[in-house]
Amino acid sequence: MTSNYTKSCYNVKRWSGPTLLPIWPLHSTECYNIGEIDRCRVHVVLRDNARNMVKALNDANLASLPCMAHALQLAVNEGLLSQRSITDVVKTGRKIVGHFKHSPQAYSRFHDIQQQLGQPRKCLQKDVITRWNRTFYMLESLIEQRRALGAFATEHDLPATLTTHQWGLIENVLTLLAPFEELTREISLSTATAADVIPAINVLKRLLEERADTDVGVGTTKATLSEAVQRRFSDVEKEPLYTLATVLDPMLVQ
């Protein structure tokens, strides 16, 4: 986002230049438009958690709320990076997926093996560092294709392989992160509202406090996730906009 300064007016236009741009201070007494939207019609702005974004909107006297998906991304990253055994599994998964992504011949043989095993022809999912759920989908695709990968490894070399213990670790990580993946999808829908935040965070906190048989090998990650969620969403119930949205949501009124 950038702004064109003309006397006391600011017009925000589409920018195709560098990513890092100066943000001019805005004041409530000044006139500016955000695209075709008059300032008087702006009730709340959704932003990421960067301090410069918080400051810019505070200077503009515009109410704002942080992007929940971005906060979840940061919390999950903390959890995944807190345990060496899990980061090692993710790195190994990336090597395996990368091998097929860079070798059409390997993928062709892999698809033949899938067909021989009576499985549908599917590609492995590649993760994206900036989107934690893509890592989830990568691990999920590895589990789904475990038999086919094992058969492929008996005939061809792979840059890395997963041990039996690591396969079990992936299953437990997927179980732990499944509620985060579901929530990320739901809040990314066009129908998602601020009323979803307080109930969703309370459910996440409760799930992370419960003990489960699938906690084996992922205890450190689960504890870090719980702490990160508590810290990053500690003020949601104190935010009037969240509270008001929750109270007025007809879906939550009994």
Side-chain angles (χ1 to χ4, degrees):
M1 182 184 77
T2 187
S3 57
N4 295 327
Y5 179 76
T6 306
K7 295 183 179 179
S8 61
C9 296
Y10 290 84
N11 294 309
V12 180
K13 298 182 179 180
R14 185 179 300 276
W15 177 263
S16 59
T19 302
L20 299 178
L21 302 168
I23 299 178
W24 291 90
L26 307 176
H27 305 287
S28 58
T29 57
E30 295 172 335
C31 166
Y32 60 93
N33 297 322
I34 303 176
E36 300 298 326
I37 304 175
D38 184 85
R39 186 204 183 286
C40 298
R41 297 175 59 192
V42 179
H43 300 290
V44 62
V45 179
L46 187 66
R47 55 167 172 77
D48 63 21
N49 297 281
R51 292 183 180 180
N52 63 326
M53 293 302 297
V54 176
K55 184 178 186 307
L57 292 169
N58 286 341
D59 289 346
N61 285 332
L62 284 172
S64 67
L65 290 174
C67 175
M68 187 179 182
H70 184 228
L72 284 177
Q73 166 81 27
L74 298 175
V76 174
N77 279 347
E78 284 187 46
L80 293 177
L81 294 174
S82 68
Q83 196 164 333
R84 177 66 181 273
S85 58
I86 294 179
T87 58
D88 288 344
V89 163
V90 172
K91 289 178 182 178
T92 300
R94 287 172 181 160
K95 290 180 180 178
I96 294 173
V97 174
H99 173 73
F100 290 99
K101 292 294 183 182
H102 293 93
S103 175
Q105 294 83 1
Y107 245 142
S108 177
R109 178 54 186 152
F110 183 68
H111 288 322
D112 290 341
I113 291 175
Q114 288 176 321
Q115 187 173 5
Q116 292 170 8
L117 294 174
Q119 297 178 351
R121 291 165 58 95
K122 288 186 177 181
C123 295
L124 297 170
Q125 296 294 315
K126 183 179 180 180
D127 76 332
V128 178
I129 296 178
T130 56
R131 297 185 180 182
W132 82 265
N133 54 341
R134 292 295 295 271
T135 301
F136 180 93
Y137 298 139
M138 179 189 73
L139 296 177
E140 191 176 50
S141 72
L142 289 171
I143 287 291
E144 184 181 7
Q145 300 301 327
R146 181 176 179 179
R147 287 182 60 203
L149 287 170
F152 182 91
T154 61
E155 302 176 5
H156 308 278
D157 292 332
L158 284 173
T161 56
L162 294 162
T163 66
T164 301
H165 171 73
Q166 288 177 317
W167 281 114
L169 192 61
I170 291 177
E171 291 178 342
N172 290 346
V173 168
L174 291 175
T175 301
L176 175 61
L177 296 181
F180 288 86
E181 187 277 332
E182 181 180 359
L183 179 56
T184 299
R185 278 189 291 106
E186 289 180 353
I187 63 177
S188 299
L189 297 174
S190 60
T191 54
T193 70
D196 300 328
V197 176
I198 291 178
I201 293 304
N202 285 334
V203 170
L204 273 185
K205 290 178 179 178
R206 186 164 61 250
L207 289 174
L208 291 171
E209 290 171 356
E210 295 176 353
R211 294 186 178 182
D213 295 336
T214 53
D215 290 346
V216 177
V218 296
T220 299
T221 294
K222 186 173 183 178
T224 304
L225 269 175
S226 180
E227 188 277 330
V229 170
Q230 294 282 353
R231 172 168 39 83
R232 293 187 179 279
F233 296 97
S234 60
D235 296 329
V236 291
E237 294 185 5
K238 301 176 184 178
E239 169 56 59
L241 289 172
Y242 284 138
T243 303
L244 186 62
T246 305
V247 171
L248 296 179
D249 188 352
M251 298 295 293
L252 299 176
V253 175
Q254 299 295 331

